[in-house]
Amino acid sequence: MTDTTLGPDGVARCAWVGDDAEYRRYHDEEWGRPLHGDRALFEKLSLEGFQAGLSWITILRKRPRFREVFAGFEPELVAAYGPDDFDRLMADAGIVRNRLKIDATISNARLLTQMKEGELDALLWSFAPAPGRPRPTSFAEVPASTPESISASKTLRKRGFRFVGPTTMYALMQSSGMVDDHVTGCWRADEA
């Protein structure tokens, strides 16, 4: 028996999707698909950091507003945010209003602007595990962190990045397709 659920469309998906339409769309179109580009990965990194301690569906539902207030996660624009922008973000009920996470996102953008174009992409993908690991049959087999996510976390922390712990980095690896944790029986696992 696997950890899948049958959707209203008759399609078997990873059980974490439940019956939420937005989760279905995210699962089917984004989660586990390879994602590249510094801006796109900066957005994922930021949102995974905001998710720490919360459910992903909370962040997913707030993502449009996050994109608005963080200038589409364009690193150069976010890096230029000052005290007035910080205050504006702290007052915005459409996002997660956590001082440390907002400050980390701005700080991480500043660090990213000091990197060469494509450097964040190459750095993050350098931690992707080698292909060929067994597909999980249940979410009990999916780790919260791995040696690769621990190494990625250490490397980013040494560079000054924040909210990049091993669990956050593993969630980033899953969501950006560096690892494929669609369980056996899920239609996405079957297409691989």
Side-chain angles (χ1 to χ4, degrees):
M1 177 164 215
T2 62
D3 282 347
T4 59
T5 187
L6 203 58
D9 55 3
V11 175
R13 293 177 177 85
C14 297
W16 59 262
V17 173
D19 62 359
D20 187 279
E22 180 60 14
Y23 251 179
R24 273 195 307 278
R25 188 212 55 76
Y26 177 73
H27 171 274
D28 292 357
E29 298 174 15
E30 293 184 57
W31 195 71
R33 295 204 188 263
L35 179 70
H36 287 280
D38 289 348
R39 193 221 50 84
L41 288 168
F42 171 61
E43 177 181 336
K44 282 279 189 189
L45 185 69
S46 300
L47 293 176
E48 294 291 356
F50 273 103
Q51 186 269 330
L54 302 171
S55 69
W56 180 246
I57 192 64
T58 299
I59 302 304
L60 197 56
R61 288 184 179 136
K62 291 179 179 277
R63 183 168 65 173
R65 185 65 183 156
F66 271 110
R67 287 175 170 167
E68 274 183 59
V69 301
F70 280 103
F73 288 96
E74 288 296 336
E76 295 79 16
L77 298 175
V78 177
Y81 281 9
D84 289 343
D85 296 298
F86 182 86
D87 291 343
R88 172 181 55 83
L89 293 167
M90 283 298 299
D92 195 316
I95 65 168
V96 174
R97 295 177 292 178
N98 177 297
R99 289 183 176 283
L100 296 175
K101 293 175 181 182
I102 291 170
D103 187 55
T105 301
I106 296 167
S107 174
N108 290 348
R110 290 176 181 152
L111 292 169
L112 180 53
T113 62
Q114 297 169 17
M115 298 169 75
K116 294 176 185 158
E117 180 70 30
E119 188 175 348
L120 180 66
D121 185 307
L123 177 65
L124 291 174
W125 276 89
S126 74
F127 294 103
R133 73 181 192 145
R135 177 167 303 286
T137 58
S138 75
F139 279 101
E141 297 173 14
V142 176
S145 65
T146 62
E148 294 88 356
S149 73
I150 293 167
S151 294
S153 174
K154 287 180 181 176
T155 299
L156 287 175
R157 284 179 177 171
K158 282 181 186 172
R159 289 177 174 237
F161 284 84
R162 292 183 286 159
F163 278 90
V164 291
T167 301
T168 297
M169 293 310 299
Y170 192 69
L172 174 93
M173 291 175 157
Q174 290 174 306
S175 67
S176 62
M178 294 174 200
V179 295
D180 180 359
D181 281 337
H182 289 282
V183 296
T184 303
C186 169
W187 78 269
R188 288 286 312 283
D190 292 342
E191 79 169 6

